[in-house]
Amino acid sequence: MSTQPKLVRFQQNVLSRYQIYNSIFMTLPFDTITKTGVLLPLFHETCQKGFTQGDNPTTIVDTFFKKYQARRSKESQLSLLFRFIQYIERQVVLFDAIEDASFPIVNNMDGIGTLRSLKESASSEQKLEILRQYLEEFKVRIVLTAHPTQFYPGAVLGIITDLTEAIKKNDLLTINDLLAQLGKTPFFKHQKPTPYDEAVSLIWYLENVFYKSFGTIFDYIQQNIFEDKPLSNDIINIGFWPGGDRDGNPFVTPEITLRVSQRLKHTILKNYYRDIRQLKRKLTFRGVEERLSYLETKLYESSISQTAQHYIELHDFVAELEAVKSIIIKEHQSLYLNDIQSLINKTKLFGYHFAILDIRQDSRAHDSVFNAMVNVLIDSGSHIFPKNYHKLSEKEQVKLLSNVKGKIDLNLIKDDDVLKALNTMKVIKTIQESNGEQACCRYIISNNQTTLNVMQLYAMLKLVAFEDELTVDIGPLFETITDLENAPAVMEELYTNPTYSKHLKKRGNKQTIMLGFSDGTKDGGYLMANWGIFKAKERLTEVSRKYGVTVLFFDGRGGPPARGGGKTHQFYASLGPTIEDKEVQLTIQGQTISSNFGTLDSSQYNLEQLISSGILNRLNETNLQMSKQNVKVMDDLAHKSYEAYVNFKSHPMFVPYLERMSTLKYYAKTNIGSRPSKRGKSDALVFEDLRAIPFVGSWSQLKQNVPGFFGVGTALKHYEDKHQFDKVKQLYQESSFFRTLIENSMMSLSKSFFDLTKYMSEDDEFGEFWNIIYSEYETTKRLLLKLTGYKNLMEEEPAGKASIDVRESIVLPLLTIQQYALKKIQELQKEKTPDKSQIEIYEKLVTRSLFGNINASRNSA
């Protein structure tokens, strides 16, 4: 029987189910739910008709109450709007659960980009040995970050999981109960989570999803591609930032970092313990049962006690498993051999660390800590640094730091911030001793600009904790367009530094370099950020190969295209031979974790896509290198786009528009993340202090998605005006890199809805600025359709577009309420004596409306 098109599968398994279960939700026997469920469709219809007629959100809300609820008091009207928001939040949850349940039906789990497809393709082309060779050195690392874009509290995540399972089974009774539970479960967090809370939330995914999906993928590769032969390369591993990412988060302390590492170890031991208990039920044979009982006891004791008499070392645990495996092969006809091998494989993947805990801090914070430390040491009479250190040139300082020797007495340090930073470096050593070196072996320097930034950290690590041998990789993070351009020169200085070169040799001659899409886009716009990173990777690959170093690119990606997200696996598949590709490393955050990796099916599918994307180019010997003509056009487009974006960003209304017309300042009130919503301590909003997440998220809430398209239309129009559009078409047809950028930008356009904010075009203060944005949107949309030959945006991905359309439709009333509230706040603030209590209510309405929209978008911040 032939498989139906993906769009048909989506309509039958997602859309139809949603309509059925949403109708059940509407009829739940709770007074508030029933009344809200009856009125919301009427409000939704009023919104749709209103925007079609060109009405503004205030008119739409007033029309609804006048037509359907004329007798309600003002207080009662506001109460109903709050209930609409709560109801829509739960509709989004229901749709999430249905999409998760239908994932393996809508997506072809054995199709293109999966491991099965990869293996069959290699076999048919007699390239299986080449595939094995590549898999022996290729790695994928997804790094879970603490960035606050996940709005679901733990209780709601649990309901989504249970609801997904019930929907898979079409268990109507359970679904009914879970929808009732959902209707009564609060979504709002009254207190900000601590960094430890954030870590615990994400460890849930490690324990319940990644432990299984990573194991399944590795088992498949070993059994089907390597035909049960040993595989030394772990291929896939997990990085972890909550509890280690100190950049801009004063609440991440050394104690928190240590607690998170202990929680990670405790959780992996708990998972091993569960697996041993399951194995015990199967391996009930002589010579095996006793060993498993011993391991069961030891793992249980190890997870609750760290004392030597109860503890089992990792190598002893693995040795026992290998002994059990050997007995099964020799004496018991290899019965359940795959089960024992699967657990051994998991110990290779996760060790006792589970996830690799990264430490991250800003170079400016390091500089401050380092200089304070130097001053204390000089004042104490220490000879580690000369008294004239601060007067030395940067080059002289780097030379001195390369040869620094000694040990710091931290009792000399009195400044609390300096002490926290230095103690964090001590904690790295402690974690390595407890959980293994892999547990915490990388330190990322954000906003890295110079060689000195790297060597300051190198010196501090050596002086504080790693006097004998530095078992930590230092990864500079280059973010702004200028830093990306300077990156190759910085790395060449490091590669030619004898001390740093010697350090790299001990670390396998591998250098991690992180490149940040988020701040790159905020700084230089969509095309320039992506092209700037592409060119930086080419130049960094060239300089690294020149000195015999394998560069490992670690991409700081967010969920949406504006922050390097979108169709990530297509992006990696589009890179050519001029960029080192032995490892794929990228950050996964917020609702992108739950949407792309939240279930066993979606996790396995998306991980396999990432593995395949990095391998297919090698396997097919595809030369994806751009022609000189295409490079010239791409470079020109990026610069034209950059110029347009910088001019736009420099507009005097840019910051005031975000501050007063968007939800930017309300992000801090949502209590979704432990980290402050902006850098800097000034009360005034400064563009440089804006974090990428609230910056991109605010445009998303406005349904304008500026960072995902602004400048693209202007750049394309330049070629249209010169009658050279065929050059851009040639680039689009010949470069899969450019094609991926264009398709991702179309996703940003698809999630834009300018009718929502059309009323701003008539605003005395911001009308002109709104029209600039709208004009660029219209130009970009027209020219992207002309370039691709599509009649509609995202025509190449109808199921994805259908999902976006349903989600946008669900939150349309919520967005209308948000804009209505923002307008009311502006009107109240202009009065001679503003009613503060009324302003507070409308501000609460805005804050509450953030959640559903972010969750519905799945990759909006």
Side-chain angles (χ1 to χ4, degrees):
M1 185 173 140
S2 61
T3 307
Q4 291 174 313
K6 190 172 180 180
L7 178 59
V8 175
R9 300 199 303 272
F10 172 83
Q11 288 168 338
Q12 290 179 348
N13 294 280
V14 178
L15 192 53
S16 297
R17 274 173 160 175
Y18 174 70
Q19 288 162 348
I20 292 166
Y21 295 138
N22 189 41
S23 64
I24 294 172
F25 189 41
M26 283 183 172
T27 56
L28 286 173
F30 300 125
D31 184 48
T32 53
I33 289 177
T34 306
K35 285 181 181 176
T36 309
V38 169
L39 292 171
L40 183 56
L42 296 172
F43 183 55
H44 190 278
E45 186 185 359
T46 308
C47 293
Q48 283 182 316
K49 282 184 179 176
F51 287 122
T52 304
Q53 292 166 192
D55 292 341
N56 65 46
T58 304
T59 303
I60 289 169
V61 173
D62 290 344
T63 300
F64 167 75
F65 282 119
K66 192 175 180 181
K67 189 173 180 181
Y68 298 109
Q69 295 284 297
R71 293 181 181 178
R72 279 185 182 267
S73 65
K74 195 68 186 171
E75 291 76 17
S76 179
Q77 288 179 5
L78 287 168
S79 176
L80 182 61
L81 293 179
F82 275 111
R83 292 215 304 275
F84 280 162
I85 290 172
Q86 292 167 340
Y87 195 97
I88 292 164
E89 284 175 336
R90 285 150 180 82
Q91 285 182 311
V92 172
V93 168
L94 176 59
F95 192 76
D96 280 351
I98 292 167
E99 273 209 316
D100 287 344
S102 307
F103 189 93
I105 303 168
V106 174
N107 296 278
N108 187 351
M109 300 297 283
D110 293 320
I112 293 168
T114 62
L115 288 174
R116 182 172 177 175
S117 169
L118 188 67
K119 189 223 173 188
E120 287 175 355
S121 173
S123 297
S124 65
E125 295 173 29
Q126 297 184 323
K127 292 180 178 177
L128 204 53
E129 195 51 48
I130 297 171
L131 175 60
R132 287 184 191 126
Q133 286 171 14
Y134 196 41
L135 282 168
E136 279 285 12
E137 60 178 13
F138 179 73
K139 290 179 189 285
V140 168
R141 181 184 299 185
I142 60 168
V143 181
L144 309 186
T145 78
H147 297 336
T149 59
Q150 173 56 271
F151 284 71
Y152 291 138
V156 175
L157 284 172
I159 294 170
I160 293 175
T161 303
D162 295 343
L163 196 53
T164 301
E165 288 306 308
I167 290 166
K168 277 182 182 177
K169 298 170 187 171
N170 284 317
D171 182 350
L172 280 172
L173 284 173
T174 304
I175 290 167
N176 195 68
D177 287 347
L178 287 166
L179 290 176
Q181 183 186 350
L182 188 64
K184 299 180 81 67
T185 301
F187 277 46
F188 189 68
K189 294 175 181 176
H190 293 285
Q191 288 184 314
K192 274 182 171 286
T194 67
Y196 183 74
D197 294 333
E198 289 171 333
V200 169
S201 294
L202 287 188
I203 288 171
W204 185 92
Y205 289 101
L206 295 181
E207 181 177 1
N208 295 285
V209 180
F210 292 117
Y211 181 76
K212 296 168 187 172
S213 62
F214 273 48
T216 301
I217 289 170
F218 192 87
D219 290 348
Y220 181 90
I221 291 170
Q222 187 186 50
Q223 289 165 20
N224 295 281
I225 297 176
F226 283 83
E227 296 172 348
D228 289 320
K229 293 185 180 75
L231 176 59
S232 56
N233 182 25
D234 59 6
I235 301 176
I236 42 177
N237 53 58
I238 312 171
F240 202 77
W241 274 17
D245 182 8
R246 295 174 53 79
D247 182 11
N249 194 338
F251 307 111
V252 178
T253 63
E255 292 76 24
I256 289 280
T257 306
L258 194 57
R259 275 186 74 198
V260 169
S261 75
Q262 289 166 345
R263 181 66 178 244
L264 284 164
K265 183 176 182 178
H266 171 79
T267 308
I268 191 59
L269 286 168
K270 193 164 62 173
N271 278 31
Y272 290 153
Y273 170 74
R274 286 191 194 124
D275 274 7
I276 287 291
R277 282 178 64 87
Q278 287 173 4
L279 276 173
K280 259 186 78 181
R281 295 186 67 175
K282 294 179 177 180
L283 305 179
T284 52
F285 321 136
R286 191 183 301 111
V288 171
E289 195 174 14
E290 301 83 355
R291 286 178 178 272
L292 291 178
S293 293
Y294 166 76
L295 285 178
E296 180 187 11
T297 304
K298 279 292 179 186
L299 284 169
Y300 178 76
E301 290 174 344
S302 295
S303 67
I304 61 172
S305 171
Q306 296 295 315
T307 56
Q309 70 215 54
H310 298 297
Y311 189 65
I312 181 168
E313 295 285 354
L314 177 63
H315 59 82
D316 292 330
F317 175 40
V318 175
E320 281 294 311
L321 291 176
E322 291 286 1
V324 168
K325 177 184 169 184
S326 181
I327 294 167
I328 288 170
I329 293 169
K330 287 177 185 173
E331 300 177 22
H332 303 292
Q333 291 75 48
S334 297
L335 196 56
Y336 298 123
L337 179 62
N338 283 345
D339 294 80
I340 191 73
Q341 183 60 54
S342 181
L343 182 51
I344 292 170
N345 287 345
K346 288 189 178 83
T347 64
K348 285 181 183 176
L349 294 175
F350 305 119
Y352 271 3
H353 59 275
F354 211 162
I356 299 160
L357 186 60
D358 284 342
I359 308 296
R360 185 175 77 132
Q361 181 56 289
D362 191 287
S363 64
R364 292 162 292 193
H366 280 154
D367 188 62
S368 175
V369 166
F370 180 81
N371 288 324
M373 179 193 77
V374 169
N375 290 338
V376 168
L377 288 171
I378 291 171
D379 291 344
S380 72
S382 166
H383 298 295
I384 294 175
F385 294 97
K387 289 182 180 179
N388 68 337
Y389 175 80
H390 296 301
K391 293 178 182 177
L392 299 176
S393 68
E394 196 166 300
K395 207 168 187 178
E396 289 171 325
Q397 286 181 350
V398 167
K399 189 177 179 182
L400 192 147
L401 296 178
S402 302
N403 301 302
V404 74
K405 283 185 173 61
K407 192 162 181 65
I408 296 175
D409 178 5
L410 293 184
N411 291 317
L412 294 170
I413 310 290
K414 303 304 176 191
D415 184 288
D416 195 44
D417 288 337
V418 175
L419 201 55
K420 278 181 186 175
L422 298 178
N423 270 323
T424 297
M425 295 172 198
K426 278 186 77 174
V427 161
I428 297 172
K429 187 79 177 282
T430 304
I431 294 170
Q432 288 190 357
E433 288 166 355
S434 168
N435 298 10
E437 187 184 308
Q438 247 196 311
C440 191
C441 59
R442 184 165 71 179
Y443 201 125
I444 308 293
I445 310 171
S446 51
N447 192 49
N448 195 95
Q449 297 178 335
T450 65
T451 306
L452 183 62
N453 292 154
V454 174
M455 295 313 295
Q456 282 179 337
L457 176 60
Y458 175 87
M460 285 190 285
L461 285 165
K462 291 282 283 183
L463 293 170
V464 171
F466 296 90
E467 191 178 353
D468 301 325
E469 185 182 356
L470 181 56
T471 52
V472 178
D473 299 313
I474 298 174
L477 164 53
F478 300 102
E479 298 177 85
T480 66
I481 303 302
T482 304
D483 290 347
L484 288 168
E485 288 171 356
N486 294 338
V490 170
M491 296 316 300
E492 184 152 31
E493 281 183 22
L494 286 166
Y495 294 153
T496 53
N497 179 305
T499 302
Y500 194 80
S501 176
K502 190 178 175 185
H503 166 67
L504 280 183
K505 281 188 175 67
K506 288 182 179 177
R507 306 298 295 166
N509 257 346
K510 292 180 178 180
Q511 172 65 55
T512 297
I513 297 175
M514 190 173 178
L515 302 164
F517 282 81
S518 299
D519 282 297
T521 307
K522 184 165 77 79
D523 181 52
Y526 178 72
L527 277 187
M528 180 53 97
N530 280 278
W531 183 236
I533 287 172
F534 185 93
K535 287 198 301 179
K537 282 185 174 181
E538 284 193 320
R539 292 167 62 215
L540 287 164
T541 297
E542 187 182 353
V543 74
S544 299
R545 286 174 178 171
K546 177 181 172 183
Y547 293 101
V549 174
T550 300
V551 62
L552 310 177
F553 290 118
F554 175 22
D555 291 320
R557 294 174 168 275
R563 296 184 54 233
K567 300 162 192 172
T568 307
H569 58 275
Q570 287 183 18
F571 172 83
Y572 285 111
S574 72
L575 302 178
T578 54
I579 292 176
E580 195 71 77
D581 61 352
K582 288 200 173 127
E583 288 200 24
V584 168
Q585 294 192 19
L586 70 157
T587 53
I588 307 285
Q589 56 198 249
Q591 77 275 32
T592 311
I593 297 173
S594 53
S595 60
N596 288 359
F597 300 93
T599 66
L600 289 172
D601 291 323
S602 62
S603 174
Q604 184 172 334
Y605 180 83
N606 285 304
L607 280 166
E608 288 190 20
Q609 293 288 326
L610 277 174
I611 294 169
S612 296
S613 68
I615 290 174
L616 277 171
N617 300 340
R618 286 276 188 98
L619 201 62
N620 297 332
E621 296 172 357
T622 311
N623 186 1
L624 296 169
Q625 189 167 358
M626 281 192 203
S627 66
K628 286 183 179 177
Q629 168 67 18
N630 283 341
V631 168
K632 189 178 176 184
V633 174
M634 183 72 234
D635 202 53
D636 190 42
L637 285 170
H639 279 91
K640 293 281 188 302
S641 172
Y642 178 66
E643 193 177 312
Y645 178 77
V646 169
N647 287 338
F648 171 65
K649 196 174 69 171
S650 304
H651 195 289
M653 287 292 111
F654 187 92
V655 171
Y657 181 80
L658 274 177
E659 191 169 24
R660 286 158 51 197
M661 305 300 276
S662 84
T663 57
L664 181 68
K665 64 184 178 184
Y666 297 95
Y667 267 79
K669 299 177 182 181
T670 55
N671 292 332
I672 54 158
S674 66
R675 197 166 67 162
S677 60
K678 70 182 184 76
R679 296 180 176 94
K681 295 177 181 177
S682 64
D683 291 333
L685 186 64
V686 182
F687 179 80
E688 288 72 25
D689 286 345
L690 283 178
R691 291 197 175 280
I693 289 168
F695 174 72
V696 173
S698 297
W699 289 113
S700 172
Q701 295 280 334
L702 281 167
K703 287 295 156 191
Q704 293 176 0
N705 289 320
V706 161
F709 70 81
F710 201 95
V712 176
T714 298
L716 293 174
K717 192 172 184 301
H718 172 77
Y719 277 81
E720 184 186 50
D721 291 345
K722 286 174 66 180
H723 306 290
Q724 294 180 347
F725 205 70
D726 57 316
K727 289 183 178 179
V728 186
K729 280 196 169 181
Q730 184 179 338
L731 173 65
Y732 177 76
Q733 286 159 5
E734 295 178 2
S735 167
S736 54
F737 170 75
F738 183 61
R739 202 155 52 244
T740 301
L741 288 190
I742 292 301
E743 288 172 1
N744 275 339
S745 189
M746 279 199 279
M747 186 190 290
S748 291
L749 292 171
S750 293
K751 292 184 177 184
S752 296
F753 180 59
F754 277 83
D755 285 350
L756 179 72
T757 55
K758 200 172 187 179
Y759 72 91
M760 294 181 189
S761 64
E762 297 169 7
D763 188 271
D764 292 339
E765 196 174 359
F766 295 106
E768 180 202 339
F769 188 75
W770 186 93
N771 282 308
I772 291 170
I773 301 168
Y774 183 60
S775 174
E776 182 68 16
Y777 163 80
E778 287 282 276
T779 302
T780 305
K781 181 180 176 181
R782 177 178 69 80
L783 290 173
L784 288 191
L785 292 175
K786 180 179 178 178
L787 176 63
T788 57
Y790 298 159
K791 290 180 181 176
N792 301 296
L793 294 170
M794 290 184 70
E795 200 173 287
E796 88 292 357
E797 201 186 348
K801 180 68 166 66
S803 175
I804 288 171
D805 289 345
V806 175
R807 289 173 176 278
E808 295 298 308
S809 176
I810 291 170
V811 296
L812 182 65
L814 186 149
L815 293 164
T816 308
I817 293 167
Q818 185 182 94
Q819 285 299 317
Y820 166 76
L822 284 168
K823 193 82 174 73
K824 285 290 184 186
I825 292 165
Q826 291 159 21
E827 289 169 4
L828 286 164
Q829 286 173 338
K830 285 176 184 175
E831 291 178 0
K832 282 185 179 179
T833 52
D835 187 333
K836 289 183 180 178
S837 62
Q838 279 293 298
I839 290 173
E840 200 174 300
I841 290 168
Y842 284 113
E843 284 185 336
K844 189 178 177 185
L845 207 57
V846 173
T847 304
R848 291 293 289 112
S849 68
L850 289 170
F851 296 76
N853 186 32
I854 284 286
N855 288 327
S857 298
R858 283 211 159 188
N859 68 352
S860 59

